[in-house]
Amino acid sequence: MKILNCPLNGPRNISEFVWGGEMKPMPDPATATDAQWTDFLFLEDNTAGEITEWWLHAPTNYWFIARRNTLTDEIIETMTYDAYLARQKANASGEAEPAAKPTTGGTETGATSA
Amino acid sequence: MPFALLKYALSREHPDDPHFRWKPDLKKTYDVIIIGAGGHGLAAAYHLAKDHGITNIAVLEKGWLAGGNTARNTTIVRANYLTPEGVAFYKESVELFRTLSNELDINVMYSERGHFTLAHTDAAMRTARWRAEVNKHMGVNSEVIDAAEVKRICPTMNVTDDARYPVLGALYHPPGAIARHDAVAWGYAKEAMKRGVEVHTQTEVKKILIENGRAIGVETNRGVIHGAKIMQAVAGSSSHVARMAGLKLPIKTIPLQACVSEPVKPILDQIVVSGSLHVYISQSARGEMVMGGATDAYGLYSSRSTLDFKESLMGHMLELFPFMGELRILRQWAGMADMTPDFSPVMGLTPVENYYIDAGWGTWGFKATPVCGKRMAECVATGRQPDLLKPFALSRFDTFDLVGEKGAASVGH
Ligand SMILES: Cc1cc2nc3c(=O)[nH]c(=O)nc-3n(C[C@H](O)[C@H](O)[C@H](O)COP(=O)(O)OP(=O)(O)OC[C@H]3O[C@@H](n4cnc5c(N)ncnc54)[C@H](O)[C@@H]3O)c2cc1C
């Protein structure tokens, strides 16, 4: 039996979860065109490889994010939606892994070689 | 007269034609290039050659002949869909299947068994009534029957009240059938090759060449070839190949698993499907119980098998057919199903000129092999979307005009 690690409930049997599909940004309902809705509602990247996707823990009705490889069925990591957003923000501002930044001493180079 | 038969078999005067006429080399150009040598690609090639006189065709296959979902399906053929568009389409396929052995000069072992879609809830009974009315209106033989009638037709089934989900009734579709899937594909390949069509296995399409919005050729592991028209029919790889042509599809690739028991004497005549219990079963000509359910719970490019699938399948199966407790599982496998949001296929023209698509066959495409081959051939030959395929065009997603077949296709393939 496959185990999925829910950020709220911990490791649970995967049959307790519902797959929500690949993560895609929702267009702004106030301005979206028909073509944008078609893209959001129906069209899929259907990636063979690493994807970021939605999962629902059905008994607790809790939605979260997972990264999974669709060729090997390996779950790489799971995280809350907030953690996902924080990482997106950090990536956008050019910092790859905010948590890995040295808090005291050391230069950039020192941190990478550590 | 065994002696006369032996003499005939050994005589040089009546040699049997070789089934497949392989040609070793790829030409530089073809009138039509078909990507994928499953039943669909092969049937389209056959109809292009036979109905439209187009024989300069290459069917390119990355693996071996019909080794994809064509070799993995549970061969259910039926026309009892939910929408008038769907029923009209699948009805033509059932009609073509009835004479397919003659048409292709190969025994496809088409066997009409009768098809039950069991209902265990009031909602399922309502869907059954809806389907029966649409079917009858379209000239397809379907009716709603009660549990006693189910028992009369299929005495081995447990329809008593002491089950977790007792059988309330069923949608009964007498023409429902099974067939020999490999023979269907081989028959189309053989007859297409006889007419000059080339089938090239171990030939993977890696790139699609587009010039000014028009498809002009493909790059394969064996070099570049040009084609006036190109058609893709690659099931689980649909999104991957379409992306090479710059198209994004309404498709998720999700595994569908199945299994068979050891073979036993004939005990189950009908094809039995339960949408509520997510299981279906039929007995093959070889005596094996062929079983499956709905797709896996999430998308994956893999044909692995899981224990969860068999557990949930058997739990319900034992209630429906208690004798199954005596049988052992012989084989299990899976295929990658190209699932659309409305459980209907995507066929016909695309925004790329001279590029045609046959995809979104999910868990229900074996039964459509003949009609799809015939109508896709018409589409490719004429460059127009045939009437029967109009509702299934890729453009339906732009106009929000979906053909909702989930109620008739999510478990009963
Ligand atoms: C377990 C299971 C049970 C099913 N049961 C039923 C059923 O009972 N009834 C029913 O109607 N349907 C059923 N189906 C669905 C049915 O099997 C498929 O819809 C149908 O076989 C699709 O046929 P096809 O020719 O389009 O695809 P396939 O037979 O999969 O052929 C596609 C071919 O394309 C090739 N290909 C892919 N990429 C490339 C490339 N880049 N270059 C060259 N070649 C490529 C593949 O190798 C493959 O051989 C079932 C499916 C599964 C998995």
Side-chain angles (χ1 to χ4, degrees):
Chain A
M1 187 62 82
K2 216 172 167 58
I3 303 292
L4 192 58
N5 192 4
C6 174
L8 183 66
N9 302 285
R12 307 290 305 176
N13 203 324
I14 202 160
S15 60
E16 290 182 13
F17 297 86
V18 178
W19 185 49
E22 267 184 76
M23 179 92 199
K24 39 186 177 179
M26 189 170 101
D28 179 356
T31 58
T33 62
D34 280 2
Q36 283 170 319
W37 279 124
T38 294
D39 188 72
F40 175 68
L41 289 172
F42 305 127
L43 304 188
E44 304 289 342
D45 286 332
N46 202 15
T47 309
E50 212 176 286
I51 64 168
T52 304
E53 61 189 359
W54 283 108
W55 280 91
L56 166 72
H57 183 247
T60 53
N61 201 20
Y62 180 73
W63 284 98
F64 62 97
I65 304 291
R67 284 203 306 128
R68 183 173 60 93
N69 187 318
T70 60
L71 287 166
T72 59
D73 201 12
E74 180 196 356
I75 298 157
I76 303 157
E77 61 174 336
T78 54
M79 66 195 99
T80 65
Y81 182 56
D82 286 344
Y84 167 78
L85 287 180
R87 186 178 297 187
Q88 288 293 99
K89 224 168 128 193
N91 284 346
S93 64
E95 292 165 57
E97 292 289 335
K101 252 193 111 180
T103 42
T104 52
T107 59
E108 287 296 327
T109 24
T112 355
S113 62
Chain B
M1 287 240 212
F3 186 65
L5 194 63
L6 190 67
K7 222 171 111 187
Y8 178 84
L10 296 175
S11 112
R12 278 164 198 277
E13 270 169 60
H14 308 284
D16 200 8
D17 273 351
H19 255 170
F20 305 121
R21 302 178 187 189
W22 304 103
K23 299 225 172 74
D25 298 318
L26 278 171
K27 289 192 284 191
K28 288 261 174 292
T29 62
Y30 293 90
D31 293 338
V32 178
I33 294 172
I34 296 174
I35 310 169
H40 282 229
L42 295 165
Y46 166 75
H47 280 286
L48 278 166
K50 179 172 172 259
D51 305 347
H52 304 278
I54 300 173
T55 56
N56 183 24
I57 301 174
V59 186
L60 308 180
E61 167 57 52
K62 74 172 176 189
W64 60 93
L65 187 71
N69 287 357
T70 297
R72 295 157 198 269
N73 70 81
T74 47
T75 83
I76 297 169
V77 177
R78 60 190 177 89
N80 59 352
Y81 278 73
L82 188 63
T83 65
E85 297 85 352
V87 175
F89 176 77
Y90 292 108
K91 179 180 178 224
E92 184 169 301
S93 217
V94 167
E95 282 157 10
L96 291 168
F97 253 116
R98 286 189 169 142
T99 53
L100 201 59
S101 291
N102 275 336
E103 172 94 14
L104 302 179
D105 194 18
I106 192 170
N107 189 356
V108 304
M109 298 172 76
Y110 190 64
S111 171
E112 294 196 356
R113 299 293 193 85
H115 181 286
F116 292 112
T117 310
L118 301 179
H120 310 260
T121 62
D122 289 344
M125 281 304 281
R126 193 171 57 107
T127 311
R129 276 188 213 104
W130 179 0
R131 282 168 71 181
E133 289 311 313
V134 175
N135 286 191
K136 280 185 245 180
H137 180 68
M138 305 294 294
V140 166
N141 185 0
S142 290
E143 60 183 321
V144 174
I145 57 177
D146 63 14
E149 184 67 1
V150 172
K151 182 77 185 169
R152 192 188 64 78
I153 302 171
C154 182
T156 44
M157 199 191 310
N158 171 23
V159 300
T160 60
D161 276 348
D162 59 0
R164 188 166 169 208
Y165 299 105
V167 174
L168 300 183
L171 176 70
Y172 181 49
H173 177 52
I178 52 176
R180 186 179 156 215
H181 46 359
D182 293 327
V184 171
W186 296 341
Y188 279 119
K190 159 178 92 76
E191 291 299 307
M193 285 158 114
K194 207 189 257 176
R195 288 166 171 82
V197 170
E198 294 177 16
V199 179
H200 292 280
T201 56
Q202 308 297 318
T203 308
E204 179 173 1
V205 171
K206 306 235 178 204
K207 223 183 235 172
I208 291 166
L209 311 176
I210 312 264
E211 221 175 70
N212 301 324
R214 288 162 91 201
I216 58 159
V218 298
E219 191 182 308
T220 74
N221 55 334
R222 298 172 58 201
V224 170
I225 57 176
H226 287 88
K229 295 181 174 186
I230 299 169
M231 169 182 151
Q232 75 163 75
V234 296
S237 304
S238 291
S239 301
H240 180 61
V241 172
R243 193 176 292 124
M244 299 178 196
L247 301 171
K248 193 172 170 188
L249 300 181
I251 285 177
K252 294 178 183 172
T253 296
I254 306 179
L256 179 67
Q257 305 187 41
C259 60
V260 294
S261 74
E262 59 191 335
V264 290
K265 292 276 184 266
I267 182 167
L268 178 65
D269 231 8
Q270 291 79 22
I271 303 154
V272 180
V273 178
S274 168
S276 320
L277 306 185
H278 288 212
V279 297
Y280 66 93
I281 182 169
S282 72
Q283 187 172 19
S284 75
R286 207 163 28 200
E288 299 164 334
M289 296 293 167
V290 181
M291 293 168 281
T295 59
D296 279 9
Y298 57 92
L300 189 66
Y301 285 88
S302 165
S303 49
R304 56 98 177 89
S305 295
T306 65
L307 180 62
D308 311 24
F309 158 70
K310 287 179 287 293
E311 262 187 335
S312 67
L313 175 74
M314 294 313 162
H316 292 304
M317 207 55 95
L318 288 175
E319 275 202 336
L320 276 180
F321 295 104
F323 74 83
M324 292 290 297
E326 308 285 319
L327 296 185
R328 280 167 299 195
I329 294 290
L330 195 64
R331 285 193 309 282
Q332 56 176 77
W333 67 93
M336 292 185 291
D338 38 335
M339 303 296 289
T340 54
D342 57 358
F343 287 70
S344 281
V346 172
M347 289 179 281
L349 306 178
T350 71
V352 179
E353 213 181 313
N354 295 338
Y355 195 79
Y356 300 84
I357 192 161
D358 173 46
W361 281 109
T363 66
W364 50 84
F366 172 70
K367 73 180 67 59
T369 307
V371 66
C372 185
K374 183 175 170 186
R375 298 303 177 173
M376 279 305 298
E378 181 185 339
C379 184
V380 172
T382 62
R384 284 193 306 272
Q385 185 93 1
D387 283 347
L388 204 60
L389 304 193
K390 277 187 182 148
F392 304 107
L394 179 57
S395 60
R396 75 175 181 272
F397 296 93
D398 298 327
T399 51
F400 305 94
D401 210 0
L402 275 55
V403 187
E405 285 288 3
K406 185 169 183 181
S410 61
V411 177
H413 312 304

